[in-house]
Amino acid sequence: MQVKGNAVAARKTYWLEHAWLGTHVEPGVALAVAADGRIAALTTGAPTPPPGAEPLRGLTVPGLANAHSHAFHRALRSTVQVGSGTFWTWRDVMYKVAQNLTPERYFALARAVYAEMALAGITNVGEFHYVHHAPGGAPYADPNAMGEALIEAAAEAGIRITLLDTAYLSSGFGREPEPHQLRFSDGTAEAWAERVSALKPREHALVGAAIHSVRAVPAAELGTVAAWAAERQAPLHVHLSEQTAENDACRAAHGRTPTELLADHGVLGPRTTGVHNTHLTDADIALLGGTSTGTCMCPTTERDLADGIGPAARLQHAGSPLSLGSDSHAVIDLLEEARAMELNERLRSRTRGHWTANALLSAATADGHAALGRPDAGRLEPGALADFTTLALDSVRTAGPLPRLGAETAVFAATAADVRHTVVGGRHIVRDGVHALVGDVPSALAASIAALRA
Protein backbone atom coordinates (compact mmCIF):
# COMPACT_ATOMS: atom_id res chain seq x y z
CA MET A 1 0.00 0.00 0.00
CA GLN A 2 1.35 3.42 -0.93
CA VAL A 3 0.06 6.74 0.38
CA LYS A 4 0.77 10.08 -1.30
CA GLY A 5 -0.26 13.32 0.37
CA ASN A 6 -1.85 14.07 3.71
CA ALA A 7 -4.74 11.78 4.61
CA VAL A 8 -5.28 13.59 7.94
CA ALA A 9 -6.66 16.65 6.14
CA ALA A 10 -9.37 14.63 4.44
CA ARG A 11 -12.95 15.90 4.47
CA LYS A 12 -14.30 13.01 2.41
CA THR A 13 -12.88 9.86 0.89
CA TYR A 14 -13.82 8.13 -2.34
CA TRP A 15 -12.78 4.59 -3.21
CA LEU A 16 -11.98 4.20 -6.88
CA GLU A 17 -12.39 0.66 -8.15
CA HIS A 18 -9.97 1.50 -10.97
CA ALA A 19 -8.18 4.82 -11.50
CA TRP A 20 -6.28 6.16 -14.49
CA LEU A 21 -3.19 7.84 -13.07
CA GLY A 22 -1.88 9.34 -16.30
CA THR A 23 0.37 6.47 -17.33
CA HIS A 24 -1.55 3.38 -16.24
CA VAL A 25 -4.70 2.08 -14.59
CA GLU A 26 -4.37 1.30 -10.90
CA PRO A 27 -6.89 -0.97 -9.14
CA GLY A 28 -8.18 -0.06 -5.70
CA VAL A 29 -7.36 3.59 -4.98
CA ALA A 30 -8.60 5.63 -2.01
CA LEU A 31 -8.83 9.34 -2.82
CA ALA A 32 -9.16 11.75 0.07
CA VAL A 33 -10.58 15.23 -0.49
CA ALA A 34 -9.48 18.15 1.67
CA ALA A 35 -11.74 20.93 2.92
CA ASP A 36 -10.51 23.20 0.13
CA GLY A 37 -11.82 20.86 -2.57
CA ARG A 38 -8.40 19.53 -3.52
CA ILE A 39 -7.03 16.01 -3.39
CA ALA A 40 -5.44 15.53 0.02
CA ALA A 41 -4.10 12.03 -0.50
CA LEU A 42 -4.11 9.00 -2.80
CA THR A 43 -3.70 5.54 -1.36
CA THR A 44 -3.07 2.69 -3.78
CA GLY A 45 -3.40 -0.99 -3.00
CA ALA A 46 -6.82 -0.66 -1.38
CA PRO A 47 -8.73 -3.73 -2.64
CA THR A 48 -11.93 -2.78 -0.77
CA PRO A 49 -13.42 0.56 0.26
CA PRO A 50 -11.97 1.92 3.52
CA PRO A 51 -14.50 2.58 6.30
CA GLY A 52 -16.68 5.56 5.42
CA ALA A 53 -15.40 5.86 1.85
CA GLU A 54 -17.87 6.27 -1.00
CA PRO A 55 -17.23 3.63 -3.67
CA LEU A 56 -17.05 4.66 -7.35
CA ARG A 57 -17.17 1.47 -9.40
CA GLY A 58 -15.73 1.53 -12.90
CA LEU A 59 -12.82 3.59 -14.22
CA THR A 60 -12.20 6.99 -12.67
CA VAL A 61 -10.27 9.56 -14.71
CA PRO A 62 -9.62 13.25 -14.09
CA GLY A 63 -12.49 15.52 -15.03
CA LEU A 64 -12.65 16.22 -18.75
CA ALA A 65 -11.89 19.73 -20.04
CA ASN A 66 -14.02 21.09 -22.86
CA ALA A 67 -11.60 23.71 -24.14
CA HIS A 68 -13.88 25.23 -26.78
CA SER A 69 -17.61 25.82 -26.44
CA HIS A 70 -20.24 28.10 -27.92
CA ALA A 71 -23.12 27.25 -25.58
CA PHE A 72 -25.89 28.69 -27.73
CA HIS A 73 -24.88 26.53 -30.70
CA ARG A 74 -26.50 23.63 -28.83
CA ALA A 75 -29.80 25.00 -30.14
CA LEU A 76 -28.62 24.21 -33.68
CA ARG A 77 -28.29 20.47 -33.13
CA SER A 78 -30.16 18.55 -35.87
CA THR A 79 -31.70 21.77 -37.22
CA VAL A 80 -28.57 22.46 -39.29
CA GLN A 81 -28.48 18.90 -40.58
CA VAL A 82 -31.38 19.54 -42.95
CA GLY A 83 -30.19 19.83 -46.54
CA SER A 84 -26.62 20.64 -47.52
CA GLY A 85 -24.39 23.71 -47.69
CA THR A 86 -21.09 25.00 -46.36
CA PHE A 87 -19.66 26.53 -43.19
CA TRP A 88 -20.86 29.90 -44.46
CA THR A 89 -24.49 28.79 -44.94
CA TRP A 90 -24.39 27.11 -41.51
CA ARG A 91 -23.22 30.45 -40.12
CA ASP A 92 -26.33 32.20 -41.42
CA VAL A 93 -28.54 29.82 -39.41
CA MET A 94 -26.36 30.39 -36.34
CA TYR A 95 -26.79 34.16 -36.60
CA LYS A 96 -30.59 33.79 -36.54
CA VAL A 97 -30.41 31.85 -33.27
CA ALA A 98 -28.00 34.38 -31.77
CA GLN A 99 -30.47 37.20 -32.46
CA ASN A 100 -33.03 35.62 -30.13
CA LEU A 101 -30.74 35.39 -27.10
CA THR A 102 -31.38 37.51 -24.02
CA PRO A 103 -29.49 37.25 -20.73
CA GLU A 104 -32.39 35.29 -19.23
CA ARG A 105 -32.72 32.94 -22.19
CA TYR A 106 -28.98 32.47 -22.41
CA PHE A 107 -28.75 31.60 -18.72
CA ALA A 108 -31.47 28.95 -19.06
CA LEU A 109 -29.89 27.42 -22.17
CA ALA A 110 -26.33 27.50 -20.86
CA ARG A 111 -27.38 26.00 -17.51
CA ALA A 112 -28.90 23.06 -19.36
CA VAL A 113 -25.94 22.74 -21.75
CA TYR A 114 -23.43 22.79 -18.91
CA ALA A 115 -25.50 20.20 -17.09
CA GLU A 116 -25.32 18.05 -20.22
CA MET A 117 -21.55 18.51 -20.08
CA ALA A 118 -21.44 17.37 -16.45
CA LEU A 119 -23.39 14.27 -17.45
CA ALA A 120 -20.66 13.69 -20.06
CA GLY A 121 -17.88 13.88 -17.44
CA ILE A 122 -16.83 17.46 -18.24
CA THR A 123 -15.79 19.44 -15.17
CA ASN A 124 -14.46 22.60 -16.86
CA VAL A 125 -15.57 24.46 -19.98
CA GLY A 126 -13.86 27.15 -22.01
CA GLU A 127 -16.74 29.34 -23.20
CA PHE A 128 -15.73 31.31 -26.30
CA HIS A 129 -18.24 34.09 -25.68
CA TYR A 130 -19.02 36.79 -28.22
CA VAL A 131 -22.76 37.62 -27.90
CA HIS A 132 -22.24 40.65 -25.67
CA HIS A 133 -24.95 43.23 -26.36
CA ALA A 134 -28.60 43.56 -27.27
CA PRO A 135 -29.66 43.15 -30.93
CA GLY A 136 -28.55 46.28 -32.77
CA GLY A 137 -25.48 46.62 -30.55
CA ALA A 138 -26.82 48.64 -27.60
CA PRO A 139 -25.20 47.55 -24.32
CA TYR A 140 -27.35 46.09 -21.59
CA ALA A 141 -27.66 48.03 -18.32
CA ASP A 142 -24.92 45.73 -17.12
CA PRO A 143 -22.59 45.61 -20.14
CA ASN A 144 -21.50 42.11 -19.06
CA ALA A 145 -25.00 40.74 -18.51
CA MET A 146 -24.52 37.97 -21.05
CA GLY A 147 -21.15 36.91 -19.67
CA GLU A 148 -22.47 36.96 -16.11
CA ALA A 149 -25.36 34.76 -17.24
CA LEU A 150 -22.86 32.17 -18.48
CA ILE A 151 -20.81 32.30 -15.29
CA GLU A 152 -23.92 31.82 -13.16
CA ALA A 153 -25.16 29.04 -15.44
CA ALA A 154 -21.93 27.12 -14.88
CA ALA A 155 -22.26 27.57 -11.11
CA GLU A 156 -25.79 26.19 -11.12
CA ALA A 157 -24.73 23.26 -13.30
CA GLY A 158 -21.87 22.54 -10.90
CA ILE A 159 -18.92 22.88 -13.28
CA ARG A 160 -16.02 25.28 -13.67
CA ILE A 161 -15.83 27.81 -16.50
CA THR A 162 -13.15 29.91 -18.13
CA LEU A 163 -15.09 32.70 -19.79
CA LEU A 164 -13.08 33.55 -22.90
CA ASP A 165 -14.58 36.97 -23.54
CA THR A 166 -14.20 37.54 -27.25
CA ALA A 167 -13.28 40.61 -29.26
CA TYR A 168 -15.38 40.63 -32.45
CA LEU A 169 -15.18 43.98 -34.21
CA SER A 170 -15.59 43.51 -37.97
CA SER A 171 -17.27 41.28 -40.53
CA GLY A 172 -14.13 40.85 -42.58
CA PHE A 173 -10.90 42.56 -43.52
CA GLY A 174 -11.65 46.28 -43.70
CA ARG A 175 -15.40 45.76 -43.30
CA GLU A 176 -17.77 47.04 -40.63
CA PRO A 177 -19.95 44.54 -38.74
CA GLU A 178 -23.07 43.41 -40.54
CA PRO A 179 -26.42 44.09 -38.80
CA HIS A 180 -26.60 40.66 -37.16
CA GLN A 181 -23.03 41.07 -35.87
CA LEU A 182 -23.57 44.42 -34.14
CA ARG A 183 -24.39 42.76 -30.84
CA PHE A 184 -21.00 41.06 -30.93
CA SER A 185 -18.98 44.25 -31.28
CA ASP A 186 -17.65 46.74 -28.73
CA GLY A 187 -16.54 49.03 -31.57
CA THR A 188 -12.83 49.01 -30.68
CA ALA A 189 -10.44 46.75 -28.85
CA GLU A 190 -9.98 49.45 -26.21
CA ALA A 191 -13.73 49.48 -25.54
CA TRP A 192 -13.69 45.67 -25.42
CA ALA A 193 -10.87 45.78 -22.85
CA GLU A 194 -12.72 48.32 -20.70
CA ARG A 195 -15.86 46.19 -20.65
CA VAL A 196 -14.18 42.85 -19.98
CA SER A 197 -12.03 44.34 -17.21
CA ALA A 198 -15.21 44.68 -15.13
CA LEU A 199 -15.66 40.87 -15.11
CA LYS A 200 -14.25 39.35 -11.96
CA PRO A 201 -13.01 35.79 -11.49
CA ARG A 202 -14.50 33.68 -8.74
CA GLU A 203 -13.89 30.25 -7.29
CA HIS A 204 -15.51 28.35 -10.15
CA ALA A 205 -14.87 30.92 -12.88
CA LEU A 206 -11.79 32.39 -14.54
CA VAL A 207 -11.87 35.23 -17.06
CA GLY A 208 -9.75 34.95 -20.19
CA ALA A 209 -9.71 36.59 -23.60
CA ALA A 210 -10.33 35.59 -27.17
CA ILE A 211 -9.80 37.03 -30.61
CA HIS A 212 -12.67 35.72 -32.66
CA SER A 213 -10.50 35.48 -35.79
CA VAL A 214 -8.15 37.62 -37.85
CA ARG A 215 -11.09 38.59 -40.04
CA ALA A 216 -13.08 39.82 -37.01
CA VAL A 217 -10.37 41.87 -35.26
CA PRO A 218 -8.44 44.41 -37.37
CA ALA A 219 -4.69 43.83 -37.38
CA ALA A 220 -3.99 47.14 -35.64
CA GLU A 221 -6.17 46.03 -32.70
CA LEU A 222 -4.81 42.52 -32.19
CA GLY A 223 -2.05 43.78 -29.91
CA THR A 224 -4.55 45.43 -27.54
CA VAL A 225 -6.29 42.11 -26.89
CA ALA A 226 -2.99 40.28 -26.52
CA ALA A 227 -1.71 42.92 -24.07
CA TRP A 228 -4.85 42.67 -21.93
CA ALA A 229 -4.35 38.92 -21.58
CA ALA A 230 -0.61 39.26 -20.97
CA GLU A 231 -1.08 41.80 -18.17
CA ARG A 232 -3.34 39.33 -16.35
CA GLN A 233 -1.51 36.16 -17.36
CA ALA A 234 -4.88 35.02 -18.69
CA PRO A 235 -5.60 32.44 -21.38
CA LEU A 236 -6.00 33.84 -24.89
CA HIS A 237 -7.79 31.83 -27.57
CA VAL A 238 -8.39 32.49 -31.27
CA HIS A 239 -10.18 30.75 -34.14
CA LEU A 240 -7.34 30.10 -36.57
CA SER A 241 -7.36 29.01 -40.21
CA GLU A 242 -10.62 27.09 -39.93
CA GLN A 243 -11.48 27.94 -43.53
CA THR A 244 -9.32 28.34 -46.63
CA ALA A 245 -11.40 31.38 -47.59
CA GLU A 246 -10.15 33.17 -44.49
CA ASN A 247 -6.55 32.33 -45.37
CA ASP A 248 -7.02 33.66 -48.90
CA ALA A 249 -8.63 36.88 -47.66
CA CYS A 250 -5.87 37.40 -45.07
CA ARG A 251 -3.16 36.99 -47.70
CA ALA A 252 -4.97 39.44 -49.98
CA ALA A 253 -5.29 42.02 -47.19
CA HIS A 254 -1.95 41.58 -45.43
CA GLY A 255 0.30 39.49 -47.64
CA ARG A 256 0.70 36.79 -45.01
CA THR A 257 -1.16 33.90 -43.41
CA PRO A 258 -3.36 34.36 -40.33
CA THR A 259 -0.71 32.64 -38.19
CA GLU A 260 1.99 34.99 -39.47
CA LEU A 261 -0.27 37.98 -38.83
CA LEU A 262 -0.90 36.87 -35.24
CA ALA A 263 2.84 36.36 -34.74
CA ASP A 264 3.56 39.87 -36.02
CA HIS A 265 1.23 41.36 -33.38
CA GLY A 266 2.41 39.38 -30.36
CA VAL A 267 -0.56 37.05 -30.09
CA LEU A 268 1.25 33.70 -30.14
CA GLY A 269 2.77 32.12 -27.02
CA PRO A 270 2.30 29.45 -24.34
CA ARG A 271 -0.87 31.04 -22.89
CA THR A 272 -2.44 31.21 -26.37
CA THR A 273 -4.51 28.47 -27.99
CA GLY A 274 -5.43 28.39 -31.67
CA VAL A 275 -8.77 26.71 -32.21
CA HIS A 276 -8.98 24.37 -35.22
CA ASN A 277 -5.64 25.26 -36.84
CA THR A 278 -6.89 23.34 -39.86
CA HIS A 279 -5.35 24.83 -43.01
CA LEU A 280 -1.75 25.65 -42.14
CA THR A 281 1.49 25.98 -44.06
CA ASP A 282 4.72 24.36 -42.94
CA ALA A 283 5.86 27.78 -41.74
CA ASP A 284 2.63 28.21 -39.75
CA ILE A 285 3.18 24.89 -38.00
CA ALA A 286 6.75 25.86 -37.14
CA LEU A 287 5.58 29.22 -35.76
CA LEU A 288 2.88 27.67 -33.58
CA GLY A 289 5.12 24.91 -32.30
CA GLY A 290 8.13 27.16 -31.80
CA THR A 291 6.12 29.57 -29.63
CA SER A 292 4.42 26.72 -27.70
CA THR A 293 1.05 28.05 -28.85
CA GLY A 294 -1.60 25.43 -28.14
CA THR A 295 -3.99 23.76 -30.55
CA CYS A 296 -7.59 22.96 -29.65
CA MET A 297 -9.00 20.37 -32.02
CA CYS A 298 -12.79 20.02 -32.32
CA PRO A 299 -13.12 16.99 -34.62
CA THR A 300 -16.88 16.47 -34.46
CA THR A 301 -17.55 20.10 -35.41
CA GLU A 302 -14.76 20.17 -37.98
CA ARG A 303 -16.20 17.16 -39.78
CA ASP A 304 -19.81 18.32 -39.27
CA LEU A 305 -19.00 21.64 -40.98
CA ALA A 306 -16.81 19.97 -43.62
CA ASP A 307 -13.87 22.09 -42.48
CA GLY A 308 -11.19 19.49 -43.09
CA ILE A 309 -8.72 17.56 -40.94
CA GLY A 310 -6.15 19.66 -39.14
CA PRO A 311 -2.49 18.58 -38.86
CA ALA A 312 -2.74 17.74 -35.16
CA ALA A 313 0.10 15.21 -35.12
CA ARG A 314 2.50 17.56 -36.91
CA LEU A 315 1.53 20.42 -34.61
CA GLN A 316 2.20 18.38 -31.50
CA HIS A 317 5.50 17.15 -32.84
CA ALA A 318 6.44 20.78 -33.52
CA GLY A 319 5.73 21.73 -29.89
CA SER A 320 2.05 22.75 -29.84
CA PRO A 321 0.13 21.20 -26.89
CA LEU A 322 -3.19 19.63 -27.88
CA SER A 323 -6.56 20.11 -26.23
CA LEU A 324 -10.10 19.19 -27.28
CA GLY A 325 -13.47 20.93 -27.55
CA SER A 326 -17.04 20.21 -28.57
CA ASP A 327 -17.39 23.67 -30.19
CA SER A 328 -20.83 23.73 -31.88
CA HIS A 329 -22.10 20.80 -29.78
CA ALA A 330 -23.15 18.60 -32.67
CA VAL A 331 -22.49 16.14 -29.87
CA ILE A 332 -21.12 16.75 -26.39
CA ASP A 333 -18.71 13.89 -25.86
CA LEU A 334 -15.02 14.53 -25.16
CA LEU A 335 -14.26 10.82 -25.48
CA GLU A 336 -15.57 10.99 -29.04
CA GLU A 337 -13.41 14.07 -29.69
CA ALA A 338 -10.32 12.18 -28.47
CA ARG A 339 -11.18 9.12 -30.54
CA ALA A 340 -11.94 11.21 -33.61
CA MET A 341 -8.60 13.00 -33.50
CA GLU A 342 -6.78 9.68 -33.78
CA LEU A 343 -9.18 8.17 -36.32
CA ASN A 344 -9.12 11.27 -38.52
CA GLU A 345 -5.34 11.05 -38.62
CA ARG A 346 -5.59 7.38 -39.57
CA LEU A 347 -7.88 8.25 -42.47
CA ARG A 348 -5.51 10.93 -43.68
CA SER A 349 -2.30 8.93 -43.30
CA ARG A 350 -3.63 5.38 -43.76
CA THR A 351 -1.54 4.32 -40.76
CA ARG A 352 -2.63 3.59 -37.17
CA GLY A 353 -1.46 4.58 -33.73
CA HIS A 354 -0.53 8.27 -33.89
CA TRP A 355 -1.32 8.76 -30.20
CA THR A 356 -1.55 6.32 -27.33
CA ALA A 357 -4.77 6.17 -25.35
CA ASN A 358 -2.88 7.82 -22.48
CA ALA A 359 -1.87 10.72 -24.71
CA LEU A 360 -5.43 11.20 -25.97
CA LEU A 361 -6.81 11.15 -22.42
CA SER A 362 -4.18 13.72 -21.46
CA ALA A 363 -5.41 16.02 -24.24
CA ALA A 364 -8.95 15.62 -22.88
CA THR A 365 -7.88 16.26 -19.27
CA ALA A 366 -4.64 17.86 -18.06
CA ASP A 367 -3.73 19.62 -21.31
CA GLY A 368 -7.25 20.95 -21.76
CA HIS A 369 -7.39 22.34 -18.23
CA ALA A 370 -3.98 23.97 -18.73
CA ALA A 371 -5.26 25.66 -21.90
CA LEU A 372 -8.08 27.11 -19.78
CA GLY A 373 -5.75 28.51 -17.13
CA ARG A 374 -6.09 25.67 -14.63
CA PRO A 375 -2.83 23.71 -14.61
CA ASP A 376 -3.82 22.46 -11.16
CA ALA A 377 -6.64 20.34 -12.63
CA GLY A 378 -6.74 17.25 -14.81
CA ARG A 379 -4.61 14.92 -12.66
CA LEU A 380 -5.38 12.46 -9.90
CA GLU A 381 -2.61 13.51 -7.52
CA PRO A 382 -2.33 15.31 -4.18
CA GLY A 383 -2.76 19.06 -4.45
CA ALA A 384 -4.79 18.92 -7.66
CA LEU A 385 -8.41 20.01 -7.77
CA ALA A 386 -10.66 17.10 -6.77
CA ASP A 387 -12.41 17.04 -10.14
CA PHE A 388 -12.93 13.59 -11.63
CA THR A 389 -15.38 11.38 -13.46
CA THR A 390 -16.14 7.66 -13.40
CA LEU A 391 -16.94 5.57 -16.49
CA ALA A 392 -18.80 2.28 -16.41
CA LEU A 393 -16.73 -0.74 -17.42
CA ASP A 394 -19.77 -3.00 -17.66
CA SER A 395 -21.93 -1.33 -20.31
CA VAL A 396 -22.62 -2.84 -23.72
CA ARG A 397 -19.82 -0.67 -25.08
CA THR A 398 -17.22 -1.25 -22.39
CA ALA A 399 -17.80 -4.78 -21.10
CA GLY A 400 -15.14 -7.39 -21.89
CA PRO A 401 -11.70 -5.73 -21.95
CA LEU A 402 -9.36 -6.23 -19.00
CA PRO A 403 -9.53 -3.32 -16.52
CA ARG A 404 -5.83 -2.60 -17.08
CA LEU A 405 -6.86 -1.56 -20.62
CA GLY A 406 -9.19 1.06 -19.16
CA ALA A 407 -7.57 3.97 -21.02
CA GLU A 408 -8.00 2.17 -24.34
CA THR A 409 -11.57 1.28 -23.42
CA ALA A 410 -12.36 4.88 -22.47
CA VAL A 411 -10.98 6.39 -25.67
CA PHE A 412 -11.85 3.76 -28.26
CA ALA A 413 -15.09 2.24 -26.95
CA ALA A 414 -16.80 4.37 -24.31
CA THR A 415 -19.09 7.33 -24.93
CA ALA A 416 -20.57 10.06 -22.76
CA ALA A 417 -23.43 7.67 -22.03
CA ASP A 418 -21.01 5.58 -19.96
CA VAL A 419 -20.38 8.35 -17.43
CA ARG A 420 -21.72 7.29 -14.04
CA HIS A 421 -20.29 9.91 -11.68
CA THR A 422 -18.88 13.42 -11.94
CA VAL A 423 -17.24 15.10 -8.94
CA VAL A 424 -16.14 18.76 -8.91
CA GLY A 425 -14.14 20.09 -5.98
CA GLY A 426 -15.00 16.92 -4.09
CA ARG A 427 -18.73 17.57 -4.60
CA HIS A 428 -20.81 14.88 -6.26
CA ILE A 429 -22.48 16.64 -9.24
CA VAL A 430 -23.55 13.53 -11.17
CA ARG A 431 -24.38 10.40 -9.23
CA ASP A 432 -25.29 7.15 -10.99
CA GLY A 433 -25.92 9.05 -14.20
CA VAL A 434 -28.31 11.58 -12.64
CA HIS A 435 -27.49 15.29 -12.30
CA ALA A 436 -27.77 16.33 -8.66
CA LEU A 437 -28.47 20.04 -9.32
CA VAL A 438 -30.51 20.13 -12.54
CA GLY A 439 -33.26 17.62 -11.99
CA ASP A 440 -34.39 16.96 -15.56
CA VAL A 441 -31.66 17.94 -18.00
CA PRO A 442 -33.47 16.83 -21.19
CA SER A 443 -36.53 18.89 -20.26
CA ALA A 444 -34.34 21.87 -19.40
CA LEU A 445 -32.65 21.61 -22.80
CA ALA A 446 -35.96 21.25 -24.65
CA ALA A 447 -37.59 24.19 -22.88
CA SER A 448 -34.63 26.55 -23.27
CA ILE A 449 -34.23 25.75 -26.95
CA ALA A 450 -37.97 26.12 -27.59
CA ALA A 451 -37.81 29.59 -26.01
CA LEU A 452 -35.34 30.65 -28.71
CA ARG A 453 -37.81 29.62 -31.41
CA ALA A 454 -40.75 31.46 -29.89
Side-chain angles (χ1 to χ4, degrees), residues 127-436:
E127 184 60 40
F128 200 103
H129 165 56
Y130 56 84
V131 186
H132 303 305
H133 308 299
Y140 290 103
D142 175 359
N144 286 305
M146 296 293 265
E148 292 288 353
L150 293 165
I151 290 172
E152 183 59 27
E156 293 213 4
I159 70 171
R160 304 184 196 274
I161 185 172
T162 297
L163 186 75
L164 298 162
D165 195 288
T166 304
Y168 193 135
L169 308 175
S170 61
S171 63
F173 297 96
R175 293 164 49 192
E176 294 296 316
E178 296 176 7
H180 49 262
Q181 296 168 324
L182 290 172
R183 69 182 312 189
F184 307 160
S185 177
D186 291 293
T188 67
E190 288 78 8
W192 167 86
E194 181 178 357
R195 177 183 55 75
V196 72
S197 293
L199 283 165
K200 302 303 179 187
R202 50 218 80 171
E203 184 177 358
H204 81 289
L206 301 180
V207 178
I211 293 164
H212 180 273
S213 55
V214 293
R215 70 177 185 273
V217 177
E221 310 220 43
L222 292 171
T224 300
V225 183
W228 185 94
E231 289 168 6
R232 293 159 179 79
Q233 294 293 291
L236 174 61
H237 288 214
V238 55
H239 290 133
L240 181 57
S241 290
E242 182 178 5
Q243 294 290 321
T244 56
E246 178 179 271
N247 289 355
D248 294 342
C250 187
R251 285 193 181 96
H254 297 288
R256 62 205 67 198
T257 68
T259 300
E260 291 166 337
L261 186 66
L262 294 175
D264 288 346
H265 291 275
V267 175
L268 304 185
R271 286 180 297 95
T272 300
T273 297
V275 181
H276 305 302
N277 293 1
T278 307
H279 303 285
L280 303 175
T281 66
D282 291 346
D284 291 340
I285 293 171
L287 266 175
L288 294 169
T291 55
S292 299
T293 300
T295 294
C296 180
M297 302 298 293
C298 306
T300 60
T301 290
E302 288 151 6
R303 63 192 183 192
D304 182 54
L305 297 181
D307 286 344
I309 300 172
R314 292 183 61 202
L315 281 160
Q316 187 172 52
H317 291 156
S320 177
L322 299 180
S323 56
L324 297 165
S326 63
D327 193 0
S328 68
H329 311 314
V331 298
I332 294 177
D333 188 339
L334 263 290
L335 301 174
E336 171 61 23
E337 304 295 345
R339 175 164 54 244
M341 188 164 69
E342 166 67 23
L343 298 186
N344 281 355
E345 194 66 25
R346 292 182 185 187
L347 282 175
R348 189 228 305 275
S349 66
R350 291 182 289 175
T351 59
R352 303 175 75 233
H354 300 274
W355 293 276
T356 65
N358 287 333
L360 292 167
L361 272 182
S362 292
T365 56
D367 295 336
H369 290 289
L372 297 178
R374 291 196 184 270
D376 54 347
R379 295 177 177 85
L380 299 182
E381 60 185 38
L385 292 170
D387 299 355
F388 44 90
T389 188
T390 303
L391 307 171
L393 292 179
D394 58 358
S395 76
V396 292
R397 290 164 294 278
T398 61
L402 296 171
R404 65 179 175 81
L405 298 175
E408 287 77 9
T409 301
V411 171
F412 293 106
T415 72
D418 294 308
V419 171
R420 293 293 176 265
H421 305 280
T422 300
V423 174
V424 180
R427 180 188 184 194
H428 225 131
I429 301 302
V430 173
R431 188 188 301 272
D432 296 320
V434 177
H435 201 287

Side-chain angles (χ1 to χ4, degrees), residues 37-60:
R38 294 180 179 272
I39 298 173
L42 281 178
T43 304
T44 60
T48 58
E54 182 166 357
L56 300 181
R57 299 193 181 276
L59 174 70
T60 297

